[in-house]
C-alpha cells in the first residue's frame, strides 16, 4: 500500500514546512489540495471558477518550492467546479498528475486532459461507483473520496469500503486511491477491500511525531 502525505494548507510557508517533513519521510509522492469555495466549502490556492479570477501572485514561489524538492512527485487534487480552467496552471507548476472530479467533468474533457498529464478521476462519497465506468478509458486511476470535500481531519465514511470493493471487482488492474479519514484501522479495511494507494493528512501532520505516524501507516 502506497501512502501519500497531503499538503492541505493555503500559504507558502506551510507548503515548504510540509514538503520538508515529507522529505524526511522519504515519501515518493505528495498531494496538494486545491479548492474553490464553490465545489468545496473552503478555498485553497485560489482555485476559482474562471482563469480571469485566478490570482497567480503565489504561483512562481510555489513552483520554486516544488522544484527544490524535485525528488518528491506532486499530485494536485482539484476540488473545483471548473477544473479545466486551471488545469494548465497546475501543470505549469510541475505537478506529475492531477485529480479531477467525475461530478465536474465529461469523458471528452477528461480525455483531452489525459493527453497532457496523468489523470485521476475522483468520486464524492455520494457518487455511485459505476459513475467511473464512462471515465475508465480516459483516466489513469480512480480516487474514492471517503469524506466530504474540502476540510481536513474528517472521519472516514464506512460505506466507502463497499464502493472500493465494487471498483476492484470491476477493474482488476487499475490503481484505486482513497482520500480522507485514513488511520491504520481504516487502512487495513480499505486494503482488504482492494485499494492500493491512500492519502493521509491530519494523521501525519497533526501528530507529534510525523515520521512515526507515517511508518505506522506504511506497516499496514
Amino acid at each position: 500500500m502506497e501512502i501519500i502525505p497531503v499538503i492541505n494548507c493555503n500559504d507558502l510557508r506551510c507548503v515548504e514546512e510540509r514538503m520538508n517533513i515529507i522529505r524526511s519521510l522519504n515519501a515518493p509522492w505528495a498531494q496538494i489540495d486545491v479548492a474553490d469555495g464553490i465545489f468545496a466549502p473552503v478555498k485553497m490556492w485560489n482555485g476559482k471558477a474562471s482563469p480571469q479570477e485566478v490570482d497567480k501572485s503565489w504561483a512562481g514561489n510555489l513552483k520554486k518550492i516544488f522544484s527544490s524538492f524535485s525528488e518528491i512527485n506532486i499530485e494536485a487534487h482539484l476540488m473545483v467546479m471548473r477544473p479545466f480552467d486551471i488545469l494548465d496552471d497546475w501543470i505549469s507548476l510541475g505537478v506529475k498528475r492531477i485529480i479531477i472530479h467525475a461530478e465536474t467533468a465529461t469523458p471528452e474533457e477528461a480525455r483531452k486532459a489525459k493527453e497532457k498529464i496523468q489523470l485521476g478521476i475522483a468520486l464524492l462519497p455520494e457518487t455511485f461507483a459505476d459513475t467511473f465506468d464512462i471515465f475508465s478509458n480516459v483516466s489513469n486511476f480512480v480516487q474514492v473520496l471517503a469524506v466530504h470535500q474540502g476540510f481536513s481531519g474528517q472521519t472516514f465514511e464506512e460505506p466507502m469500503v463497499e464502493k472500493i470493493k465494487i471498483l476492484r471487482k470491476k477493474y482488476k488492474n487499475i490503481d484505486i486511491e482513497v482520500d480522507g479519514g485514513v488511520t491504520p484501522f481504516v487502512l487495513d479495511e480499505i486494503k482488504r477491500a482492494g485499494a492500493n494507494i491512500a492519502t493521509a493528512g491530519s494523521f501525519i501532520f497533526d501528530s507529534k511525531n510525523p515520521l512515526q505516524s507515517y511508518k505506522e501507516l506504511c506497516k499496514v
Side-chain angles (χ1 to χ4, degrees), residues 74-94:
I74 308 291
E75 64 177 24
H77 182 188
L78 304 187
M79 294 177 283
V80 301
M81 283 298 297
R82 296 173 61 178
F84 303 102
D85 287 348
I86 61 173
L87 185 82
D88 289 340
D89 294 331
W90 283 92
I91 292 174
S92 72
L93 296 186

Side-chain angles (χ1 to χ4, degrees), residues 3 18 25 29 53-54 60 67 72 102-103 150 155 171 185 198 209:
I3 307 299
R18 291 202 171 188
L25 305 178
W29 282 90
E53 293 177 313
V54 176
S67 63
I72 302 170
E103 302 83 6
T155 301
Y171 300 103
F185 175 79
N209 190 329

Side-chain angles (χ1 to χ4, degrees), residues 67-213:
S67 63
S68 67
F69 294 89
S70 58
E71 75 277 18
I72 302 170
N73 300 298
I74 308 291
E75 64 177 24
H77 182 188
L78 304 187
M79 294 177 283
V80 301
M81 283 298 297
R82 296 173 61 178
F84 303 102
D85 287 348
I86 61 173
L87 185 82
D88 289 340
D89 294 331
W90 283 92
I91 292 174
S92 72
L93 296 186
V95 302
K96 297 297 177 63
R97 61 191 184 202
I98 284 178
I99 300 165
I100 60 173
H101 277 264
E103 302 83 6
T104 65
T106 66
E108 179 60 18
E109 288 172 323
R111 182 191 64 77
K112 291 179 180 178
K114 186 173 177 283
E115 291 174 355
K116 300 178 179 181
I117 194 167
Q118 288 189 53
L119 185 72
I121 296 294
L123 306 175
L124 292 177
E126 59 269 24
T127 300
F128 292 114
D130 60 10
T131 301
F132 179 68
D133 293 349
I134 61 172
F135 293 97
S136 61
N137 292 324
V138 292
S139 60
N140 298 102
F141 63 103
V142 60
Q143 184 202 79
V144 174
L145 189 59
V147 297
H148 291 291
Q149 64 272 32
F151 292 106
S152 180
Q154 298 180 67
T155 301
F156 177 84
E157 297 193 14
E158 284 294 329
M160 298 308 102
V161 174
E162 186 60 30
K163 183 184 288 189
I164 296 164
K165 290 179 180 179
I166 293 169
L167 288 166
R168 179 53 73 207
K169 184 176 181 180
K170 187 175 290 188
Y171 300 103
K172 303 294 185 183
N173 299 316
I174 199 167
D175 286 328
I176 299 177
E177 177 180 299
V178 178
D179 184 349
V182 170
T183 66
F185 175 79
V186 166
L187 198 59
D188 182 62
E189 280 193 295
I190 64 175
K191 183 177 181 178
R192 287 188 282 110
N196 62 308
I197 303 173
T199 72
S202 58
F203 186 81
I204 294 173
F205 294 108
D206 291 350
S207 166
K208 293 181 179 179
N209 190 329
L211 178 59
Q212 181 179 332
S213 297

Side-chain angles (χ1 to χ4, degrees), residues 2-15:
E2 183 177 2
I3 307 299
I4 300 178
V6 177
I7 300 169
N8 188 295
C9 50
N10 201 24
D11 65 80
L12 295 166
R13 175 180 288 183
C14 176
V15 173

